[in-house]
Amino acid sequence: MNHANYYLLFDRIQIQAANAISGPLSYGFPSLNGFLGAIHALNRRLPESDGITLGGVLVACHHCDVQLYRPHAYADATFNQSRNPLKKNGDTAAIIEEGKVHLTVSLLVEVRKADQVWANLSQNPQASEWCTQVQNMLMQQRIAGGSVTSIGRTQLFESHQQDDMIAALLPAFVLMDAGQDLLAITRELQTGQQHLVNEFDEIQPACDENGAPLPSARPAQTEVTALDALIEVATLHHLPPDAKDSKEWRAYSVKSGRGWLVPLPVGYQGIAAPFAAGELAHCRTAEYPSQYVETIYSLGKWVFPFRLPENFQQCFWRYATPQDNLYLITQPPAH
Amino acid sequence: MQDITRADVQAAISGFLNDQFLKKAEPDIKRLEKAETEQNEAAIAAAQEALAQWRHKYSAPIWLDDAARRMAGQLKFGSHISKGIHPDAKGDNVNFSADTPLPEHLIGSQSAHALALDANGNAAALPLAAFFNTPVGAAQMVKLRQLITQNHPALQGCFADDAALSDEYQLLFQAALIGATDAPITHERNKQILWPRGEQAIVHDDYICLVPLYPSALTHAVYQQINQARYSEENKLARDNRFKKTAEHKPYVSITQLAITKLGGTKPQNVSQLTSAQGGRNYLLPNLPPKLQSSKAFKISAVAVTIFNKRLRYHSYRGWIEFDEVIKAKKSVMAVRDQRKLALQMILAEVFQIAERIQTQWPAGWSRDYQLSMAEKYWLDPDRADLEGEEAFKAACDAGDWAGEVIRSFALWLNQWLKETHTAIAEDFDEAEESEWRRAMASALRTSQRRFGRIYA
């Protein structure tokens, strides 16, 4: 939706016990689909007579409290589990592991109002009434599998009020796509030379002040795939002191200088041909076609709101039109 | 894969059967050895009989017949399994062939270097999965299952002496590997997602039901890769040597902040063979946002006259670090000036997070017991104005004159710290700088007051 004429801010949504396991390879913040799906569901519930549609979603996280236990700082964490009610025959139910997270997020949603605009937005009673209405609707929904316990407030912005929107999000971190960084890291592992994403979103080798290429912490491996790069993002290299430079051990991470990178599930890919509607037995819907899929990963980046790109449109996640067997949630490209 | 010959396949099959035989018959072989040294005739006979039974069971015609007719029907193979989503899910598994490459910035099963074949079902039939995973050929790079799914010509007559019977077995194996797709079935415990196909999904009623399966072959590859990085002898040695003065120091890696989920509880074999090999454990990588300094922990000392002190600086350290870096950087380039603005905004954001928490969460009237300046009390304890007997407070609060003093305190706080820590360039922070801090604070204060619908002068 490129013609959003308003933006709707759900400020400080508190979500209890959302799903912390965002995919088969990552935990922490719920997957994007949890938020986009909730807004999509909200959009479906809006009365048609309003002539209002919701578009892309900006996700900002204020607070993220994963319910886990880590015996000491270097140990692997396990998720806190809950005992579920007894089965019908009185046996204890088996524990199927789940991961929960308590969240405070702000969502900024593109709004398109087709027929007439709200005059004098900040004082417009209809606009504020509509805000209250959608806030109440969202309160009744689940977001990312968790219950909404409170929403700070709901406010409409006009599209030129970018600075006000950014100020309203503070302090928080906004989730951005970092697919280019994943490519740069893959190149770095393949060539053994540091690569960076420049301001035009292109990948180039990194150089020091004299123009000499900077070596990576790992020797070049031609066989490296994006999956290796994903694991590399979580890896910390401990390098012994150089004889001349220093006496201290150094730590090197491929993330340094690139921002706060995280693995990010961005959608699904079909792993078998799609079935026609009603063909797959025990499918929850016989109305629509169905398909077996697997989660697709990329990299994401948590960005402080002041560092967001000039082009504000770029910060909004949308359902892309499926192609090549891929069902993705994307942000518009930079250029 | 082209240079695989029939002899290679036959060698692989007989090698596999021999291994299975040795594994199962090991106790009896030992018993036989023992009996022979003791010259115990009865025991020798018993052990030999037992061995003969094993040999019969693992002879090619018997075992392959059993494998094709019984085991193949009792196992469900796949690279993506249904039970990984929920152990009770009884939907199809999918064997995904990673032929079509993904765009370079995406990661899926194609990104793994090698995908193992996973299986679940009757545990007694699991040797068949090992059979399919038998490497073939001199290089050992090709798996038997790859040949079977591709109908490789070298397989002809390998599974039985009779050509027709061999082909029949091959078809049965192939059917088991590919999985039946003519009657696809999923399960209520499988996650199912109604996915909008594009942005106009609501208008065109254009959805598809996606059924995600657990990519156990991919997660197995990740599990092994992480274990290899962490626990390889080389890495462990380098890590141990770090704190030994005499040893040679070498680089090592650590992977921290991981979480573990256990699939299948105490019976991971119920989920799948690969899951069982991992003891049900799966590594998850963290995708948490950075942690902001918690505003919960912030306290005001009862004798403090202002909140703009060292304690607040500690609680807004992220912005300060940023500010510090900007000041150290070469002066007054355009980009640096922009960065300074950002750092200032970051400090403000953190200050206001704390302020808003105090304003909204602390009980109204808390400031009565504190020595703070009145201006900061008006700012941080606005609800006190609504309490009984606080008419004077309310009047002064509404008048809004206090804002100027808060803004001044903020600018002073910032400037003082800059002068203290950057003594060499202390004179650079003069009136112009201070008025810049004031402007930024004033605008932030205005936004914050408006947010809560408070009067702002």
Side-chain angles (χ1 to χ4, degrees):
Chain A
M1 188 162 71
N2 297 318
H3 310 290
N5 37 12
Y6 294 103
Y7 290 93
L8 176 65
L9 171 75
F10 293 105
D11 188 37
R12 311 288 199 280
I13 309 174
Q14 292 197 359
I15 307 170
Q16 197 172 47
N19 185 7
I21 301 178
S22 47
L25 294 178
S26 60
Y27 80 96
F29 194 75
S31 76
L32 278 171
N33 188 37
F35 301 96
L36 263 74
I39 296 298
H40 187 88
L42 178 68
N43 193 1
R44 287 181 64 91
R45 292 168 68 209
L46 291 178
E48 232 167 85
S49 55
D50 289 2
I52 294 173
T53 44
L54 307 179
V57 182
L58 176 149
V59 181
C61 178
H62 300 277
H63 190 65
C64 183
D65 183 14
V66 187
Q67 303 298 296
L68 47 70
Y69 171 68
R70 197 185 294 280
H72 59 88
Y74 302 101
D76 294 335
T78 50
F79 295 101
N80 301 351
Q81 300 300 323
S82 60
R83 222 355 137 185
N84 292 329
L86 297 181
K87 291 202 267 189
K88 275 180 204 152
N89 60 4
D91 292 350
T92 48
I95 290 180
I96 312 295
E97 284 213 356
E98 292 175 319
K100 302 283 187 195
V101 57
H102 301 331
L103 288 172
T104 310
V105 292
S106 288
L107 300 179
L108 193 57
V109 185
E110 291 176 326
V111 176
R112 169 136 186 81
K113 189 169 179 352
D115 26 346
Q116 74 205 96
V117 291
W118 286 300
N120 191 10
L121 185 68
S122 57
Q123 323 263 294
N124 190 314
Q126 275 134 11
S128 65
E129 192 188 321
W130 185 76
C131 281
T132 325
Q133 196 188 336
V134 285
Q135 175 169 335
N136 288 340
M137 284 165 97
L138 193 65
M139 285 289 288
Q140 296 160 359
Q141 281 187 209
R142 291 200 154 229
I143 300 180
S147 328
V148 181
T149 56
S150 80
I151 297 176
R153 78 204 158 102
T154 313
Q155 190 187 343
L156 277 164
F157 291 92
E158 278 175 86
S159 44
H160 61 84
Q161 291 178 290
Q162 191 172 326
D163 290 346
D164 293 339
M165 288 184 250
I166 286 175
L169 290 173
L170 290 173
F173 289 93
V174 177
L175 190 55
M176 296 291 294
D177 178 64
Q180 286 298 100
D181 287 280
L182 181 65
L183 262 176
I185 293 170
T186 315
R187 290 275 174 286
E188 174 164 339
L189 297 180
Q190 281 165 347
T191 58
Q193 191 191 332
Q194 292 184 25
H195 279 68
L196 285 174
V197 181
N198 69 12
E199 66 255 55
F200 306 109
D201 221 26
E202 292 158 350
I203 292 151
Q204 61 179 43
C207 298
D208 65 7
E209 288 131 359
N210 307 323
L214 288 166
S216 172
R218 272 206 172 160
Q221 292 167 289
T222 44
E223 287 290 285
V224 163
T225 67
L227 179 65
D228 299 291
L230 189 77
I231 296 173
E232 182 68 26
V233 164
T235 307
L236 196 61
H237 293 265
H238 303 270
L239 308 172
D242 304 341
K244 44 185 185 328
D245 282 1
S246 67
K247 286 179 185 144
E248 298 286 321
W249 279 70
R250 290 181 301 127
Y252 172 79
S253 160
V254 78
K255 279 195 284 192
S256 60
R258 298 181 202 274
W260 191 281
L261 296 179
V262 290
L264 181 71
V266 288
Y268 299 95
Q269 79 164 328
I271 50 172
F275 304 111
E279 195 184 344
L280 181 67
H282 298 164
C283 183
R284 285 190 199 164
T285 169
E287 251 176 87
Y288 304 105
S290 53
Q291 187 171 15
Y292 285 125
V293 292
E294 72 160 358
T295 309
I296 286 290
Y297 272 88
S298 182
L299 276 188
K301 192 189 280 193
W302 287 102
V303 182
F304 208 68
F306 294 122
R307 298 269 158 113
L308 292 177
E310 282 287 304
N311 179 5
F312 201 45
Q313 299 278 321
Q314 223 184 305
C315 311
F316 291 81
W317 294 94
R318 301 177 179 85
Y319 287 108
T321 310
Q323 56 177 354
D324 304 331
N325 222 3
L326 291 170
Y327 302 90
L328 297 179
I329 293 173
T330 56
Q331 285 182 329
H335 299 283
Chain B
M1 205 179 285
Q2 294 312 315
D3 52 349
I4 302 282
T5 62
R6 217 177 131 209
D8 287 334
V9 180
Q10 279 169 332
I13 293 175
S14 64
F16 167 80
L17 288 174
N18 197 34
D19 285 350
Q20 290 282 316
F21 165 73
L22 288 178
K23 213 158 96 188
K24 289 288 178 189
E26 201 188 352
D28 286 315
I29 293 171
K30 281 198 179 131
R31 211 167 294 143
L32 179 64
E33 281 169 3
K34 198 178 162 206
E36 275 171 348
T37 47
E38 287 170 4
Q39 306 251 320
N40 184 339
E41 290 298 327
I44 290 174
Q48 267 170 347
E49 195 190 333
L51 278 180
Q53 271 179 15
W54 287 123
R55 206 166 278 127
H56 176 72
K57 192 179 171 193
Y58 288 103
S59 65
I62 303 293
W63 192 87
L64 284 169
D65 184 70
D66 186 41
R69 296 194 194 283
R70 181 181 65 87
M71 292 186 190
Q74 290 178 346
L75 280 190
K76 286 205 282 182
F77 294 90
S79 57
H80 293 71
I81 54 168
S82 177
K83 276 176 184 280
I85 301 291
H86 191 289
D88 294 345
K90 293 184 183 71
D92 292 331
N93 294 344
V94 169
N95 197 359
F96 174 61
S97 59
D99 306 332
T100 47
L102 277 173
E104 268 185 300
H105 65 282
L106 297 178
I107 300 160
S109 285
Q110 289 96 326
S111 314
H113 293 286
L115 285 181
L117 180 72
D118 206 359
N120 53 21
N122 184 358
L126 281 176
L128 182 62
F131 176 66
F132 285 151
N133 275 326
T134 313
V136 183
Q140 305 273 299
M141 290 297 286
V142 181
K143 301 260 166 72
L144 188 58
R145 61 182 156 94
Q146 290 166 306
L147 301 178
I148 293 175
T149 42
Q150 285 180 3
N151 268 329
H152 198 276
L155 290 177
Q156 273 187 359
C158 283
F159 297 121
D161 294 335
D162 179 49
L165 191 62
S166 176
D167 286 349
E168 190 194 335
Y169 288 167
Q170 192 180 331
L171 279 178
L172 285 168
F173 288 147
Q174 201 174 32
L177 273 174
I178 293 168
T181 44
D182 41 328
I185 183 165
T186 182
H187 191 262
E188 58 171 357
R189 295 288 197 193
N190 274 109
K191 286 193 178 92
Q192 299 182 21
I193 302 163
L194 207 56
W195 189 271
R197 293 205 270 197
E199 290 192 56
Q200 297 295 313
I202 298 181
V203 184
H204 300 137
D205 193 26
D206 189 11
Y207 293 89
I208 183 166
C209 178
L210 300 183
V211 188
L213 297 184
Y214 191 76
S216 63
L218 174 70
T219 51
H220 185 65
V222 171
Y223 181 83
Q224 287 188 318
Q225 209 166 326
I226 291 177
N227 271 357
Q228 170 65 23
R230 279 177 154 185
Y231 305 121
S232 68
E233 286 304 322
E234 202 186 337
N235 201 52
K236 280 197 288 190
L237 187 71
R239 195 181 54 209
D240 291 344
N241 281 350
R242 173 171 179 171
F243 298 104
K244 289 180 190 160
K245 278 198 175 128
T246 49
E248 188 195 356
H249 286 173
K250 278 188 175 171
Y252 67 94
V253 301
S254 62
I255 305 177
T256 56
Q257 300 296 314
L258 298 186
I260 284 178
T261 47
K262 270 199 110 199
L263 294 180
T266 53
K267 309 273 187 298
Q269 184 147 284
N270 175 36
V271 172
S272 79
Q273 199 195 17
L274 291 181
T275 310
S276 175
Q278 294 166 208
R281 294 149 55 88
N282 265 292
Y283 291 129
L284 300 177
L285 307 167
N287 68 354
L288 292 154
K291 245 202 170 97
L292 286 164
Q293 193 71 32
S294 170
S295 55
K296 263 186 212 168
F298 185 78
K299 288 192 181 66
I300 299 176
S301 146
V303 293
V305 292
T306 175
I307 71 156
F308 294 109
N309 54 22
K310 266 192 185 158
R311 193 176 284 177
L312 185 63
R313 192 177 308 150
Y314 169 77
H315 277 268
S316 53
Y317 79 99
R318 201 177 287 277
W320 289 100
I321 291 171
E322 197 93 352
F323 217 121
D324 210 28
E325 274 174 22
V326 180
I327 288 166
K328 276 185 209 147
K330 282 161 200 151
K331 269 200 78 182
S332 236
V333 195
M334 200 48 189
V336 172
R337 240 181 292 153
D338 272 357
Q339 266 183 334
R340 187 163 86 179
K341 215 165 138 195
L342 292 182
L344 181 61
Q345 294 291 351
M346 210 180 277
I347 295 176
L348 281 171
E350 285 178 292
V351 168
F352 275 91
Q353 187 189 22
I354 289 165
E356 279 171 19
R357 189 173 176 87
I358 297 172
Q359 287 167 341
T360 53
Q361 310 277 313
W362 289 23
W366 62 265
S367 61
R368 285 173 186 159
D369 308 330
Y370 286 78
Q371 302 295 314
L372 282 184
S373 72
M374 283 316 283
E376 289 181 24
K377 287 185 180 179
Y378 296 137
W379 174 39
L380 295 171
D381 193 8
D383 295 340
R384 179 171 158 187
D386 303 332
L387 296 181
E388 233 171 277
E390 293 286 1
E391 287 76 18
F393 189 93
K394 184 174 167 56
C397 192
D398 289 352
D401 305 334
W402 51 266
E405 201 186 319
V406 171
I407 292 163
R408 259 195 309 281
S409 314
F410 171 79
L412 205 67
W413 175 62
L414 202 64
N415 237 12
Q416 211 159 32
W417 174 80
L418 290 171
K419 280 181 180 160
E420 273 167 32
T421 44
H422 300 272
T423 41
I425 46 170
E427 61 270 23
D428 287 359
F429 304 111
D430 52 14
E431 275 298 305
E433 254 72 17
E434 205 169 308
S435 69
E436 188 190 330
W437 313 154
R438 276 190 205 175
R439 267 200 305 280
M441 176 66 179
S443 131
L445 188 60
R446 205 174 301 130
T447 317
S448 156
Q449 292 293 98
R450 280 217 196 110
R451 248 180 87 179
F452 293 96
R454 292 196 197 102
I455 304 150
Y456 186 81

